[in-house]
Amino acid sequence: MDVAAAAGVSAMTVSRVINGQPGVGAETRATVRETIRRLDYRPNQTARNLVTSTELRIGVVYSNPSAAFMSDFLTGVFEEASERGARLILVKGEGGRLPPLAAIEALGASGVSGVILTPPLGESPTVLRVLRDAGIPFACVGAHRVPGAICVRIDDRQGAYEMTRDLIALGHRNLGFVVGNPDQAASAERLAGFHAAVRESEGVHTVVAQGDFSYASGLVAGEQLLDSAQPPTAIFASNDDMAAAIVSVAHRRQLDVPGELTVVGFDDTTAAVTLWPPLTTVNQPVRQLAAEALGLLVTEIAAPKHTTDHPERVLPHSIIRRQSTAPPRSR
């Protein structure tokens, strides 16, 4: 096999990587995948189905108010599914609401190999109950400590802590924060990271507004924060969509960003770079989170016996500094 020779591994190792099977180290797996990409190798799907005796069918259940997040997520999961020869079955909820319960139950009864849940569905008791009752392996992206599930996320608390420390280091002492969906653990973790950084510095005044990760909620939260008795000189929104909305509110009020108001976000989706100024934000590698979740799920499916003890997989984050931040100045 050309891929095996180019990667310096056995044909069996290449087969295991392609089929998502265990027994291959992370570095070797990455080398094989890079070789496959470089050679533009396309596995013979008919032969693979004969070997596995069954089609790999993965359900993707999603409902998220952030179009930018979902665009990155679906790109990541589609790319990984293409590499692994998996067929995806999509079940969507509208407007950030749960998909119809009947649709999720039908997915479980259809014989899918496994299911991936996007935020906030990985923390929905209703959705989790349906999947557990059906005995289907599933992976949750962005969720924290879901019993019996594969969880792939970043350290939300640490990311928010580091971003808040950056704002304080710039000299900001009046900080606003917009909380995300109250039903998601990531929202509470990001708020906790914000407060942890504030507690380490004296003389920092804070004001908090509730959002739900949607652009519309960011507009409302931005108005509330800027109308407060002691308006913030910097606002940290829990995702880029809400941060973009706050920039819009500032422009409507003829406030210069970042000259008169610093605005930062979280996720580093396309929303962060499709406005002016482009947002400083916490990079959450959404595409990699989706791909990692699918890879771990395929490995679980291929295992001789499913396990209910799954350690969380925490991927690295980073602070992306752009043009939406500056030291404070008097308005």
Side-chain angles (χ1 to χ4, degrees):
M1 181 186 287
D2 292 340
V3 172
V9 299
S10 68
M12 180 60 72
T13 297
V14 174
S15 176
R16 284 174 175 167
V17 171
I18 291 174
N19 290 292
Q21 296 174 342
V24 182
E27 185 175 346
T28 301
R29 191 179 296 274
T31 299
V32 172
R33 287 182 177 176
E34 177 56 34
T35 304
I36 289 172
R37 291 190 185 95
R38 178 163 48 84
L39 298 179
D40 195 27
Y41 173 71
R42 295 290 184 269
N44 185 314
Q45 190 59 45
T46 301
R48 287 180 62 185
N49 285 342
L50 287 173
V51 171
T52 60
S53 301
T54 184
E55 183 183 31
L56 188 62
R57 299 168 65 243
I58 304 295
V60 180
V61 185
Y62 66 102
S63 178
N64 192 293
S66 171
F69 181 97
M70 284 311 309
S71 174
D72 286 353
F73 180 91
L74 291 175
T75 298
V77 81
F78 272 116
E79 288 176 348
E80 189 69 14
S82 177
E83 281 196 17
R84 294 177 177 273
R87 177 188 171 197
L88 297 180
I89 302 169
L90 306 182
V91 177
K92 179 185 179 182
E94 299 295 339
R97 296 184 297 273
L98 286 178
L101 184 58
I104 302 173
E105 291 173 337
L107 177 67
S110 70
V112 291
S113 310
V115 171
I116 295 177
L117 301 174
T118 68
L121 302 182
E123 293 167 311
S124 165
T126 301
V127 175
L128 297 177
R129 176 182 55 78
V130 171
L131 296 179
R132 286 171 179 147
D133 288 348
I136 300 172
F138 60 98
C140 305
V141 174
H144 290 242
R145 298 174 293 278
V146 178
I150 297 164
C151 291
V152 184
R153 61 178 179 86
I154 66 167
D155 191 335
D156 294 282
R157 183 179 300 215
Q158 183 64 24
Y161 170 85
E162 291 170 9
M163 178 61 82
T164 307
R165 291 290 301 169
D166 264 21
L167 296 177
I168 294 171
L170 279 172
H172 292 281
R173 293 298 180 269
N174 290 318
L175 302 180
F177 188 86
V178 185
V179 188
N181 187 331
D183 294 330
Q184 291 179 239
S187 299
E189 288 292 302
R190 293 173 191 180
L191 179 61
F194 171 76
H195 284 313
V198 168
R199 285 195 298 269
E200 293 181 354
S201 301
E202 294 183 1
V204 177
H205 174 265
T206 64
V207 57
V208 175
Q210 182 67 57
D212 62 12
F213 288 135
S214 68
Y215 184 90
S217 73
L219 292 175
V220 175
E223 298 284 2
Q224 291 174 349
L225 293 175
L226 293 174
D227 282 338
S228 60
Q230 193 170 336
T233 60
I235 297 177
F236 182 3
S238 290
N239 77 340
D240 293 336
D241 282 34
M242 296 192 299
I246 291 165
V247 171
S248 177
V249 171
H251 288 166
R252 189 163 64 236
R253 292 177 176 235
Q254 298 185 333
L255 292 174
D256 177 68
V257 177
E260 295 174 288
L261 179 68
T262 279
V263 181
V264 299
F266 204 112
D267 285 342
D268 196 26
T269 59
T270 53
V273 292
T274 54
L275 75 162
W276 180 259
L279 287 171
T280 292
T281 186
V282 180
N283 172 260
Q284 176 174 217
V286 177
R287 291 188 185 186
Q288 290 91 328
L289 288 169
E292 185 76 6
L294 180 56
L296 291 173
L297 183 60
V298 170
T299 299
E300 163 73 3
I301 293 166
K305 183 178 180 180
H306 298 321
T307 178
T308 57
D309 182 22
H310 299 286
E312 289 187 313
R313 185 66 59 90
V314 180
L315 300 191
H317 64 272
S318 59
I319 304 296
I320 306 299
R321 297 173 177 86
R322 298 193 178 99
Q323 287 78 47
S324 67
T325 53
R329 75 180 190 208
S330 299
R331 290 179 183 163

